[in-house]
Amino acid sequence: MIERPISLDARGLLAGRRVLVVEDEYFLAEDLAKALKQLGAQVVGPVGDPEEGLDLLAREDIDAAIVDINLRGEMVFQIADQLRSRGIPFAFSTGYEKRVIPLEFQNIEHWEKPVNAGALARSMTRLLR
């Protein structure tokens, strides 16, 4: 996949923001973390385990999140529930089509894999406005 580099104008757009990355695919998690850091975000995680994601969410200050809905065969909508209840904006990054996502999360931004990590990271700036 050819990824557009993050422009100098975009650097710092997420400065001071803490973004939780919940993703069990190592290379995608690393790509997302790198792209978020280039935008100035502090990355929390990445985590590839649902319990670890919930634990970080409970004890860390989080401004936004990117969530894969299936971690090692386990659906993780409980993380989405926690994010929503705390008013934390998030996006799904998943191999599932949008129709698989429960109705209560249909309004959440949805990125199907393979995902462009830089574009997804930049979309976080929209969520945080």
Side-chain angles (χ1 to χ4, degrees):
M1 166 184 359
I2 297 175
E3 188 164 317
R4 193 174 88 209
I6 293 178
S7 72
L8 293 177
D9 292 341
R11 293 182 191 275
L13 287 176
L14 295 176
R17 303 299 194 132
R18 295 175 51 84
V19 180
L20 174 64
V21 176
V22 180
E23 173 59 63
D24 61 349
E25 291 183 31
Y26 175 80
F27 291 110
L28 179 55
E30 288 301 308
D31 286 348
L32 287 169
K34 179 182 174 186
L36 289 164
K37 288 176 185 175
Q38 286 179 338
L39 292 172
Q42 181 179 356
V43 176
V44 179
V47 296
D49 176 78
E51 291 303 317
E52 191 176 351
L54 287 169
D55 180 55
L56 279 177
L57 191 55
R59 63 183 168 85
E60 297 280 345
D61 289 327
I62 305 294
D63 295 305
I66 298 172
V67 180
D68 180 0
I69 62 171
N70 183 328
L71 300 178
R72 300 183 187 126
E74 185 177 344
M75 300 303 260
V76 296
F77 292 113
Q78 72 271 27
I79 293 174
D81 284 330
Q82 287 295 314
L83 290 164
R84 176 171 274 165
S85 71
R86 292 179 54 188
I88 299 170
F90 64 99
F92 289 123
S93 167
T94 181
Y96 289 93
E97 294 176 358
K98 191 162 183 116
R99 63 182 174 81
V100 174
I101 296 173
L103 288 176
E104 66 263 29
F105 298 117
Q106 287 293 310
N107 65 327
I108 302 300
E109 190 165 337
H110 174 264
W111 291 71
E112 274 189 50
K113 295 177 184 176
V115 68
N116 179 307
L120 178 51
R122 286 187 294 275
S123 80
M124 289 287 102
T125 61
R126 286 193 313 276
L127 293 176
L128 288 165
R129 283 190 202 140

